[in-house]
Amino acid sequence: MCAFDLIELDGQDLRRSPVEYRKAKLAKLVRIPRPGIVLNEHYEGEGGIVFQHACKLGCESIVSKRLGSPYRSGRSAHWVKVKNPKAPAVKREAEEDWGSPRWIKNRKQTAVTRGEY
């Protein structure tokens, strides 16, 4: 398991705390190696360059989070996930979705917004 965020610790709600504070707390918790858990690496830099390197390493995706941002469940303007289309997990996800009712519904919605229907 890759640990990448911490939203609660010892009963303290950390969701309103900045992402860098939550990650620092998380790093302290997992600094001692344990079987089955590793701290997800954090890289600062231009997103496009980080993404290119992640793709070369075969990573599934990168997630960019705005510094100072609180935790929000679901989609948020404070974070962006960019998937590597060549990663096996992403390919498998696309293959499994192909032709599914969800895929068909999403395709129709996209076509409508483009004026194709």
Side-chain angles (χ1 to χ4, degrees), residues 24-78:
K25 287 279 194 186
L26 179 62
K28 286 181 182 179
L29 284 175
V30 295
R31 70 176 173 240
I32 299 168
R34 294 181 178 94
I37 187 166
V38 65
L39 180 64
N40 192 56
E41 291 292 328
H42 171 85
Y43 300 96
E44 291 188 26
E46 200 277 311
I49 294 170
V50 174
F51 181 67
Q52 286 176 354
H53 288 286
C55 289
K56 286 179 185 176
L57 292 171
C59 295
E60 176 186 335
S61 62
I62 65 166
V63 175
S64 299
K65 295 184 178 184
R66 181 172 294 148
L67 292 176
S69 64
Y71 176 83
R72 297 282 186 259
S73 63
R75 300 286 183 200
S76 168
H78 296 284

Side-chain angles (χ1 to χ4, degrees), residues 1-114:
M1 179 173 83
C2 280
F4 60 89
D5 205 343
L6 184 65
I7 59 174
E8 185 267 333
L9 180 62
D10 297 329
Q12 180 186 4
D13 185 353
L14 302 176
R15 291 178 291 182
R16 292 190 175 129
S17 301
V19 65
E20 51 272 35
Y21 175 80
R22 299 190 316 269
K23 288 185 87 58
K25 287 279 194 186
L26 179 62
K28 286 181 182 179
L29 284 175
V30 295
R31 70 176 173 240
I32 299 168
R34 294 181 178 94
I37 187 166
V38 65
L39 180 64
N40 192 56
E41 291 292 328
H42 171 85
Y43 300 96
E44 291 188 26
E46 200 277 311
I49 294 170
V50 174
F51 181 67
Q52 286 176 354
H53 288 286
C55 289
K56 286 179 185 176
L57 292 171
C59 295
E60 176 186 335
S61 62
I62 65 166
V63 175
S64 299
K65 295 184 178 184
R66 181 172 294 148
L67 292 176
S69 64
Y71 176 83
R72 297 282 186 259
S73 63
R75 300 286 183 200
S76 168
H78 296 284
W79 67 270
V80 176
K81 181 177 183 178
V82 182
K83 294 182 180 183
N84 172 2
K86 295 181 181 177
V90 176
K91 286 181 181 180
R92 189 170 46 255
E93 178 183 298
E95 289 167 0
E96 290 171 1
D97 280 350
W98 186 264
S100 72
R102 185 180 74 187
W103 181 87
I104 293 168
K105 179 183 173 189
N106 289 341
R107 175 66 185 117
K108 285 182 180 178
Q109 287 175 346
T110 302
V112 169
T113 60
R114 289 183 184 162

